[in-house]
Amino acid sequence: MQVSISGHQLNVTDALKQYVEEKLERIERHAEHITKVDITLTVEKQRQKAEGNAHVAGADVHASAEHDDMYAAIDAMADKLDRQLVKHREKTISRMHGH
């Protein structure tokens, strides 16, 4: 799984990178077909925003979250991404089994 992390009006520190990568490792266990994940961390005034785009077999899954703390925003975004990927996998499985 290829991970790209970019910052918009924010310096992505090693600590932030490491935090994002740990979150994504957990998600990868649920969705082993992720080829690439693009993460964008943005600071707008007092809002911290984390956006994630995961490329999985045949689809793109997107999630974003805002918080006044970047780590909390990353947490929320990772949780949403995880749920979306689980939903995507369930849809894919049911399609494969013809339900």
Side-chain angles (χ1 to χ4, degrees):
M1 176 176 74
Q2 209 186 334
V3 177
S4 113
I5 303 168
S6 52
H8 189 67
Q9 297 173 345
L10 160 86
N11 173 26
V12 180
T13 60
D14 285 346
L16 273 173
K17 265 190 192 139
Q18 206 176 347
Y19 194 74
V20 169
E21 282 164 6
E22 280 169 20
K23 291 276 162 200
L24 293 177
E25 272 170 27
R26 248 192 25 227
I27 291 172
E28 194 180 15
R29 288 184 210 142
H30 291 168
E32 54 285 340
H33 304 302
I34 303 173
T35 50
K36 186 170 187 265
V37 182
D38 297 309
I39 302 291
T40 308
L41 306 177
T42 309
V43 177
E44 291 168 359
K45 300 188 177 78
Q46 298 306 307
R47 305 298 293 160
Q48 319 273 317
K49 186 175 182 183
E51 289 180 272
N53 240 335
H55 307 280
V56 288
D60 279 359
V61 177
H62 180 79
S64 67
E66 287 185 24
H67 202 278
D68 52 10
D69 174 71
M70 184 54 86
Y71 288 94
I74 291 167
D75 267 355
M77 179 273 299
D79 285 346
K80 285 182 187 176
L81 202 56
D82 199 20
R83 282 200 299 274
Q84 301 266 38
L85 286 162
V86 168
K87 258 193 245 166
H88 172 74
R89 195 184 61 194
E90 284 166 1
K91 270 196 301 211
T92 308
I93 290 169
S94 66
R95 270 205 305 266
M96 282 176 177
H97 297 294
H99 295 301

